[in-house]
Amino acid sequence: MQHGKYRFVAGFLVTPLALYAIFVIWPFIQAIYYSFTDWTGLSPEFAMVGFKNYTKLFSDPLFWKSFQHSVLFVILLPLVTLSLALFFSFMLNVGGRQRKDAAISGVRGAEFYKIAYFFPQVLSIAIVALLFQFAYNPRQGALNGFLQALGVSDPPEWLGDPKWALWCVMAVLVWSTVGFFVVLFSAGMSSIPRDFYEAALLDGASRVTTFFRITLPLLWDTVQSGWVYMGIMALGAEAFATVQIMTVGPGGPADSTIVMPLYVYQKAFHDGQAAYATTIGVALLFVTLLFAAIVMRLGRRERLEY
Amino acid sequence: MKTTDTPPPAEGTEAATRVAKLPAAPQERGGGRGGVLNVFSHGMLVLWAVMVVLPLLWAVMTSFKDDRSIFTSPWGLPDRLHFENWSRAWSQAHMSDYFLNTILVVGCSLVGTLVLGSMAAYVLARFEFPLNRFVYYLFVGGMSFPVMLALVPLFYVMNNMGLLNTLPGLVLVYIAYSLPFTVFFLTSFFRTLPTSIAEAAFVDGASHTRTFFQIMLPMAKPGLISVGIFNFLGQWNQYMLPTVLNTDPDRKVLSQGLVELAVSQGYKGDWSGLFAGLVMAMLPVLAAYVIFQRQVVAGLTAGALK
């Protein structure tokens, strides 16, 4: 297998690697470099300014607002989404009552639920955001139409109300991602041997105990990678798309929904402050890596073989 | 308490018998609470299914209504099926152009991603050479970086190369940003394939290149299908990359075109046309998902389970 090996390796790697270097790696390196300049993005000239952008960042109230919201996203969204998904997938796979042929089974219609729950995952986040923008509409929207039918006389303005807007956005992100994790965890749970459950059942364990003592520990690796994945979505493209499409401004009302990726976008492409935008981007990079490191560290346990 | 051994009762009486049957579990304690828990958790499953499906059905229904009834009664059924909404969205609102652009871009970039991704992954999985690990982690690291940070300089890189606002430029960017996951997934897939067949082909005088295209690629078909579905959905639904890099109104792709439509039709008050466009974009993907349900689920969850 050695003959002409290096020529072959080089020949196969050169195109993908070149494409990746030009469009992904190089811009990342440039971005970090630009964060130390006063580049506007509008003209090619710029000068080095040292840490000026970073000191500006620390005294920029709007940055701290976007930071707060992004941190809230990255803590709450994985927690809520993964808890719901774990609950649903446990019910779908293990939660059913005993039947004649199998001591352990999911509830009736588990296959149907899995198909339905997954629907939002195949839709573009842009479509989902648009759909909910209308559903949240205070006058013509589905939500308030429904609430009024129930007899609520003065329903909230949802996206128009600074108190509610951020929660509305988060609800949409939960809505669109739970199904994916239900299916992911279901696949993981189906590889846990049935005997474990049967043994627990014989010992008289309730379903809650079974979940915390058997399912969760054996599923832990999947939960952990799901957690990181959801966190990256909550800090990245999904959060950007939902906020940018759904909210007024976007980012409003009264900056109540601004998140870090949107703030980068606005500074770079609307305000002509490309260098400052990359500085915010570097902060976003730090938050992302810090989050991943914390989850990996908190979630580290002995790997269970079965 | 022999009821556990009888076949499940008819649907109608299910809820009533469930509570009665639960104490038949091997241990009596906790039985009554389990019954309440069962009703509660099955109720949650149904509730979530309704919450997922109802907004989608609402959108389909609304796309057949005229503007006046959308405004006056959000939940009212259409007086008749207003198909003209659909034809208006398709031709006047440029949905046909958006579809065409999306098919072109996703078609080219999907092929490019699979060819380049599998080439890089094959070399990284099967050949030892200096920097092998470095190149692998360079690719894989791209999965956790916030893309928004790179987009600021990338905008100007593309502008200098004359690729901004062009479809070929968008194709190259899609490929580059799909490579991290594709390489990650296919590298571990190629490692699982047996080495003996490729060695036999090589002994018989086939070149490395020929061995790859005629023997390894066909063997890797299941992996290619999984990662292909993953990339297809990701690229078809992509919103952030075209929003930043492809702002020419004539070249818009589906998701950003819809957002554009929401703004322009919002001014005109043509909500029915907008909903028709939204549903038009939604239905093909949902239909494809229902048909290829197993493959889609396997493709989207395979990566996270590795």
Side-chain angles (χ1 to χ4, degrees):
Chain A
M1 291 287 275
Q2 291 303 311
H3 177 71
K5 193 181 83 172
Y6 287 114
R7 230 182 50 191
F8 171 72
V9 167
F12 259 39
L13 269 183
V14 65
T15 324
L17 203 55
L19 204 63
Y20 186 63
I22 294 170
F23 291 103
V24 183
I25 300 292
W26 179 232
F28 267 115
I29 297 170
Q30 273 184 309
I32 293 169
Y33 171 71
Y34 282 136
S35 72
F36 295 101
T37 69
D38 65 354
W39 185 45
T40 58
L42 305 171
S43 75
E45 287 102 48
F46 59 86
M48 297 297 288
V49 293
F51 282 91
K52 219 170 125 194
N53 286 323
Y54 288 90
T55 49
K56 183 179 167 192
L57 195 69
F58 278 99
S59 55
D60 178 357
L62 199 51
F63 164 74
W64 286 112
K65 217 163 195 178
S66 71
F67 175 82
Q68 263 176 18
H69 294 155
S70 278
V71 168
L72 194 67
F73 270 36
V74 83
I75 293 172
L76 271 187
L77 284 175
L79 206 65
V80 174
T81 311
L82 297 192
S83 308
L84 277 174
L86 276 170
F87 171 71
F88 289 143
S89 50
F90 184 72
M91 287 307 296
L92 291 179
N93 289 282
V94 191
R97 64 208 147 85
Q98 284 91 46
R99 303 216 188 110
K100 196 179 178 184
D101 47 344
I104 297 299
S105 60
V107 299
R108 279 158 166 268
E111 278 311 302
F112 163 77
Y113 288 119
K114 275 187 229 168
I115 294 177
Y117 287 6
F118 205 72
F119 278 162
Q121 187 61 34
V122 298
L123 298 177
S124 170
I125 191 72
I127 293 180
V128 171
L130 277 175
L131 181 61
F132 275 92
Q133 193 192 22
F134 299 115
Y136 280 132
N137 187 301
R139 271 155 295 279
Q140 296 95 38
L143 185 58
N144 276 2
F146 184 71
L147 286 178
Q148 272 155 355
L150 283 182
V152 181
S153 58
D154 191 20
E157 296 265 310
W158 302 120
L159 291 167
D161 185 338
K163 282 203 306 286
W164 283 98
L166 194 68
W167 301 102
C168 291
V169 173
M170 285 207 259
V172 171
L173 283 167
V174 171
W175 183 86
S176 68
T177 43
V178 163
F180 172 76
F181 291 103
V182 169
V183 171
L184 182 71
F185 294 154
S186 293
M189 281 183 196
S190 66
S191 67
I192 297 174
R194 299 272 126 182
D195 325 2
F196 289 16
Y197 289 121
E198 278 157 22
L201 207 66
L202 282 176
D203 288 345
S206 70
R207 275 188 301 190
V208 179
T209 321
T210 316
F211 174 78
F212 282 105
R213 293 296 177 82
I214 297 185
T215 312
L216 196 56
L218 291 177
L219 202 65
W220 191 251
D221 279 350
T222 312
V223 173
Q224 200 181 5
S225 50
W227 197 333
V228 174
Y229 184 68
M230 183 69 205
I232 289 174
M233 283 200 284
L235 288 173
E238 267 73 8
F240 167 77
T242 40
V243 173
Q244 201 239 7
I245 295 169
M246 283 171 65
T247 62
V248 285
D255 300 321
S256 61
T257 55
I258 186 128
V259 287
M260 288 171 85
L262 180 71
Y263 197 35
V264 176
Y265 174 79
Q266 287 177 340
K267 282 288 164 199
F269 301 110
H270 291 297
D271 300 350
Q273 301 182 29
Y276 187 53
T278 58
T279 316
I280 305 162
V282 171
L284 178 60
L285 176 66
F286 269 109
V287 174
T288 311
L289 294 181
L290 193 69
F291 161 76
I294 290 174
V295 172
M296 289 304 184
R297 172 126 199 114
L298 280 184
R300 200 167 55 190
R301 353 183 128 182
E302 220 172 307
R303 202 192 166 99
L304 298 163
E305 299 288 344
Y306 57 91
Chain B
M1 289 303 160
K2 276 183 241 145
T3 37
T4 33
D5 292 323
T6 58
E11 287 291 327
T13 57
E14 195 193 344
T17 45
R18 186 184 300 128
V19 181
K21 284 177 67 169
L22 245 138
Q27 291 287 321
E28 293 279 330
R29 68 197 142 97
R33 208 191 55 207
V36 176
L37 194 71
N38 205 352
V39 172
F40 164 77
S41 40
H42 210 142
M44 286 288 288
L45 287 175
V46 174
L47 183 69
W48 191 262
V50 170
M51 278 172 66
V52 167
V53 175
L54 213 55
L56 303 178
L57 286 180
W58 177 70
V60 174
M61 188 183 79
T62 307
S63 76
F64 286 112
K65 289 160 75 165
D66 57 18
D67 287 314
R68 207 176 48 83
S69 63
I70 293 178
F71 275 81
T72 48
S73 56
W75 282 100
L77 287 169
D79 52 347
R80 63 179 179 82
L81 296 179
H82 291 268
F83 281 107
E84 67 272 15
N85 298 342
W86 285 57
S87 56
R88 204 168 58 242
W90 179 253
S91 49
Q92 285 173 31
H94 305 292
M95 282 300 286
S96 51
D97 298 339
Y98 299 151
F99 261 105
L100 191 68
N101 288 340
T102 312
I103 289 169
L104 274 175
V105 170
V106 174
C108 295
S109 48
L110 190 61
V111 172
T113 307
L114 289 181
V115 171
L116 295 178
S118 59
M119 279 162 66
Y122 176 63
V123 170
L124 291 170
R126 283 304 180 81
F127 291 86
E128 275 181 30
F129 56 93
L131 294 181
N132 180 318
R133 292 289 82 192
F134 173 77
V135 173
Y136 176 73
Y137 284 113
L138 198 63
F139 273 120
V140 172
M143 281 194 291
S144 59
F145 285 170
V147 175
M148 196 37 122
L149 174 60
L151 285 186
V152 181
L154 183 61
F155 179 88
Y156 299 96
V157 170
M158 303 267 295
N159 197 13
N160 292 339
M161 294 165 82
L163 287 171
L164 199 67
N165 296 332
T166 64
L167 294 186
L170 203 57
V171 168
L172 292 176
V173 172
Y174 275 19
I175 296 175
Y177 281 89
S178 305
L179 280 177
F181 180 76
T182 309
V183 169
F184 166 72
F185 181 86
L186 287 177
T187 304
S188 56
F189 193 83
F190 275 120
R191 285 211 187 102
T192 64
L193 295 180
T195 52
S196 52
I197 299 174
E199 273 162 18
F202 197 64
V203 168
D204 284 348
S207 66
H208 281 304
T209 314
R210 199 168 153 203
T211 311
F212 172 72
F213 282 108
Q214 292 198 336
I215 300 192
M216 295 313 288
L217 268 194
M219 280 170 74
K221 208 168 141 195
L224 287 174
I225 290 175
S226 288
V227 83
I229 289 172
F230 182 91
N231 281 321
F232 172 79
L233 280 174
Q235 293 172 352
W236 182 272
N237 291 336
Q238 183 57 251
Y239 175 72
M240 192 165 76
L241 294 174
T243 302
V244 174
L245 301 171
N246 182 40
T247 48
D248 185 336
D250 287 340
R251 299 202 176 87
K252 289 211 152 138
V253 294
L254 204 50
S255 51
Q256 58 170 164
L258 277 170
V259 174
E260 172 86 351
L261 203 64
V263 176
S264 66
Q265 304 300 86
Y267 280 125
K268 288 189 222 155
D270 183 8
W271 287 46
S272 53
L274 177 58
F275 267 94
L278 208 61
V279 173
M280 206 180 279
M282 214 164 73
L283 285 185
V285 192
L286 280 181
Y289 160 63
V290 171
I291 297 167
F292 300 107
Q293 196 253 120
R294 268 174 210 290
Q295 290 89 332
V296 172
V297 166
L300 285 190
T301 53
L305 281 177
K306 290 250 163 205

